[in-house]
Every structure is written in C-alpha cells, then in structure tokens.
Amino acid sequence: MNDRWDIGGLSTQFFPETGRPTVFIYDGYEGGVGYSEVGFNRLGEMIKSAYKTVSRCRCVSGCPSCIYSPKCGNSNDYLDKTATVLLSHRMLKELSR
Ligand SMILES: [Zn+2]
C-alpha cells in the first residue's frame, strides 16, 4: 500500500551547506513512514536498481518508465538519461570501494 507520493526528492547543482551537488530524498507525508531512512540505509541497492531501470529502458532520451516524473518541479526539463546512467554507474563504483 504505497505510491510515488510517499516519497519526494529535490536536487540542486550546488547546495551551500554541503558545498557540492546535492540530492535530498524525503518522506512525502508529515512525520514520514520511514521510506527515506530505509533508502539511506540501502543506498547501494537503490542506486543499482535505478541504474538497471534506466540503462535497460528501450527509449532514446528518457521516458516516464525510466527518468521522467509527474512530480518533477521543473517539468522534467533538466533530466538526462545518458547522464543518469553515467552518474549512477559512477556512484556504484564509489560505493563499492
Ligand atoms: Zn525510458
């Protein structure tokens, strides 16, 4: 019993408090149900799953099955399938060190 509205995300090219590109993932409901905490503790699995989903999708430049979201505050304008595959692959390599 869950849906995409249970969790949210926000990304920015630069966040002053971290001094680098930053992605926030949060529970979508006040008080949360714990999804973001589980995701934090299982980050490698989550990135691997995203990598597989996007890299195996048959679309050319992104679609609702891989990178597009109806919740995107920027109308999916800045999403890039190739960059998603490269970045998630790099993140998996870094996490395996
Ligand atoms: Zn796709």
Side-chain angles (χ1 to χ4, degrees), residues 22-55:
T22 303
V23 177
F24 297 94
I25 298 172
Y26 56 89
D27 285 331
Y29 292 99
E30 187 173 336
V33 292
Y35 291 130
S36 57
E37 183 176 357
V38 171
F40 180 82
N41 292 322
R42 298 173 65 181
L43 184 61
E45 291 174 66
M46 192 166 65
I47 294 172
K48 188 173 185 177
S49 177
Y51 172 77
K52 285 182 178 178
T53 297
V54 178
S55 64

Side-chain angles (χ1 to χ4, degrees), residues 29-93:
Y29 292 99
E30 187 173 336
V33 292
Y35 291 130
S36 57
E37 183 176 357
V38 171
F40 180 82
N41 292 322
R42 298 173 65 181
L43 184 61
E45 291 174 66
M46 192 166 65
I47 294 172
K48 188 173 185 177
S49 177
Y51 172 77
K52 285 182 178 178
T53 297
V54 178
S55 64
R56 292 177 180 172
C57 189
R58 294 180 176 203
C59 72
V60 175
S61 59
C63 72
S65 293
C66 60
I67 62 171
Y68 292 167
S69 169
K71 292 178 64 179
C72 181
N74 294 314
S75 304
N76 297 301
D77 285 344
Y78 302 108
L79 302 180
D80 185 301
K81 181 179 179 179
T82 302
T84 302
V85 171
L86 293 171
L87 183 60
S88 57
H89 185 260
R90 173 79 182 265
M91 292 170 78
L92 287 172
K93 284 178 68 174

